[in-house]
Amino acid sequence: MGALPAPDVDSFPSRLRSPAVSARVGVWLGICFAVAFLTGVVSHWAQSPDPWLPFPTRPVWGYRFTQGLHVATGVAAVPLLLVKLWTVYPHLFARPPRRLRQLFLHALERLSIGVLVAAAIFQLATGLANAAQWYPWAFSFRSSHHAVAWLAIGALAVHVAVKLPVIREALGAPVESTRLDRPGTARGAVMSRRSLLGVTGVAAALAVLTTAGGTVPWLRRVSVLATRTGEGPGGVPINKSAVAAGVTRTAVDPAYRLTLQGSGGRTVHLSRDDLERLPQHTVELPIACVEGWAASGSWTGVRLRDLLDLVDAAPRSAVRVVSLQESGPFRRTLLPGHFAADPLTLLALDLAGAPLHVDHGYPCRLIAPNRPGVLQTKWVSRLEVLA
Ligand SMILES: Nc1nc2c(c(=O)[nH]1)N[C@H]1C(S)=C(S)[C@@H](COP(=O)(O)O)O[C@H]1N2
Ligand SMILES: [Mo]
């Protein structure tokens, strides 16, 4: 029985697999990766407990915007990456050069591409899984997604630098030009290069339109694949329910008291009725989840700063916010001093004119401007003033 001949680079004669196509798809992909990288750095900054530069509290919709963009560019990158890989993978079967020096350079270039492809696939796969709240892995999502982002952007910079001459030549010539094609790619294809680029663009646009309704309200009705698009009490989706957080009993216990702990040892306990008797303020602020969905709410409650005054906290004290939730990474968060002092930062009691639903954090929750949803602590039980 004769074995099939091993494929080589000439076994892929389609004219669609040309630098004219891969350079163009590469530009779109490069833009998506650059935007996702920059907005990802913003998200990491927003979640760092003690950054060297404080994260701003304005604009109030800033994190909603950057994180929406982060997830949208990541989603658009999926079809772009697939098409890009399809146009270049025959190179895997190219025969390596014989001469030692060339072989070394070839191996180095292959290594950088290997790192780039692996990092790109890792970022898109973990990002999508996170947006779907599916964690089929044991490592920390945030730290690994952040570390691999630097690997991906570094390998991308190397790749663009190495390919710059080809990229410039490909983009400078018409898309149907065969000047840069491999000698074996003479045969016609199922469609023109222009159609392939069109289909790829449409696929990327559809991927965004069907998911971006999670944060762009006027896309809600077409975003059939979006998660958490606004159903939920007060028009705000529910992320973690009271059942999932294990607070169904403690959150509605009549013996509930909020503990305010000053840095000087002063402690005050307040029931939900006590909180309702303090001056109330209403703010319009979004919950903007790292998963890319966001929804605006009208929140009413007590200014955080007014509560800190009850325990004589110094003007720009930072505060540790502790939840009734007994375990889980989000049960405690740190509220930096400039967020605690902001007049828009509330300990919210109501949403959309009704008492908070228990799944939204009853008896009270934190709501602050331009803050990732993950730090908007629900079911607050203690506020500890940090000196
Ligand atoms: N105690 C506690 N607070 C929490 C969470 C949590 O798991 N536990 N999840 C956070 C996340 S990730 C988000 S996006 C928001 C969602 O708030 P919502 O469910 O009211 O929309 O709550 C935040 N507050
Ligand atoms: Mo979230």
Side-chain angles (χ1 to χ4, degrees):
M1 223 162 60
L4 285 169
D8 65 23
V9 68
D10 296 326
S11 317
F12 305 89
S14 167
R15 284 196 52 227
L16 295 174
R17 292 194 176 98
S18 158
V21 173
S22 41
R24 284 171 172 83
V25 176
V27 169
W28 303 342
L29 196 53
I31 292 170
C32 285
F33 267 81
V35 173
F37 177 75
L38 293 174
T39 50
V41 168
V42 168
S43 183
H44 200 72
W45 175 25
Q47 292 177 72
S48 302
D50 195 13
W52 57 272
L53 183 68
F55 193 74
T57 60
R58 297 292 183 283
V60 299
W61 44 263
Y63 187 78
R64 175 180 197 167
F65 178 76
T66 61
Q67 197 60 13
L69 208 54
H70 182 75
V71 173
T73 48
V75 164
V78 174
L80 297 177
L81 183 65
L82 290 175
V83 172
K84 169 95 182 166
L85 291 177
W86 181 82
T87 61
V88 296
Y89 87 90
H91 290 289
L92 281 177
F93 302 100
R95 238 170 250 125
R98 296 258 172 83
R99 306 252 300 282
L100 205 60
R101 202 183 121 80
Q102 259 102 333
L103 184 67
F104 179 69
L105 290 176
H106 176 85
L108 217 58
E109 201 237 340
R110 281 300 146 97
L111 185 71
S112 82
I113 291 192
V115 170
L116 176 56
V117 173
I121 291 173
F122 180 87
Q123 290 303 82
L124 298 186
T126 53
L128 283 183
N130 186 64
Q133 294 197 340
W134 180 47
Y135 300 100
W137 54 70
F139 49 81
S140 150
F141 167 75
R142 198 183 129 212
S143 47
S144 41
H145 197 71
H146 177 242
V148 177
W150 288 92
L151 207 61
I153 211 76
L156 181 59
V158 170
H159 179 61
V160 171
V162 168
K163 294 286 182 189
L164 204 55
V166 183
I167 296 171
R168 293 175 87 157
E169 208 175 332
L171 297 182
V175 66
E176 301 297 345
S177 159
T178 54
R179 196 142 49 94
L180 287 165
D181 292 6
R182 281 177 286 111
T185 53
R187 222 194 295 145
V190 286
M191 60 172 103
S192 71
R193 289 177 181 175
R194 209 172 286 284
S195 315
L196 175 62
L197 290 175
V199 169
T200 306
V202 168
L206 273 181
V208 171
L209 288 177
T210 52
T211 52
T215 184
V216 184
W218 51 268
L219 282 178
R220 284 211 172 127
R221 315 190 88 224
V222 292
S223 280
V224 290
L225 300 177
T227 54
R228 289 169 285 277
T229 39
E231 319 80 46
V236 176
I238 290 158
N239 188 304
K240 194 181 214 66
S241 67
V243 171
V247 296
T248 40
R249 195 185 49 76
T250 49
V252 297
D253 188 343
Y256 166 86
R257 296 290 180 276
L258 170 74
T259 303
L260 303 175
Q261 189 187 307
S263 57
R266 215 170 148 196
T267 301
V268 169
H269 300 280
L270 300 169
S271 66
R272 171 133 176 153
D273 286 345
D274 297 333
L275 289 167
E276 283 169 9
R277 279 192 288 268
L278 290 169
Q280 302 289 304
H281 298 271
T282 298
V283 299
E284 196 72 34
L285 287 177
I287 293 282
C289 183
V290 295
E291 296 148 21
W293 64 264
S296 206
S298 174
W299 311 88
T300 303
V302 186
R303 268 195 188 136
L304 200 88
R305 187 56 236 185
D306 291 351
L307 291 169
L308 300 191
D309 284 342
L310 298 179
V311 288
D312 307 321
R316 286 176 76 86
S317 310
V319 178
R320 176 168 296 125
V321 183
V322 185
S323 172
L324 288 169
Q325 189 185 347
E326 278 172 7
S327 63
F330 313 136
R331 60 175 295 265
R332 292 155 160 271
T333 51
L334 182 85
L335 188 69
H338 63 297
F339 276 93
D342 196 292
L344 295 182
T345 300
L346 303 187
L347 194 67
L349 305 174
D350 299 354
L351 169 59
L356 280 176
H357 191 279
V358 69
D359 290 332
H360 277 318
Y362 183 94
C364 61
R365 73 148 337 138
L366 185 71
I367 185 81
N370 199 27
R371 191 166 159 85
V374 66
L375 303 178
Q376 309 274 36
T377 314
K378 304 198 274 192
W379 315 291
V380 174
S381 65
R382 293 174 76 82
L383 298 173
E384 299 170 9
V385 176
L386 305 173

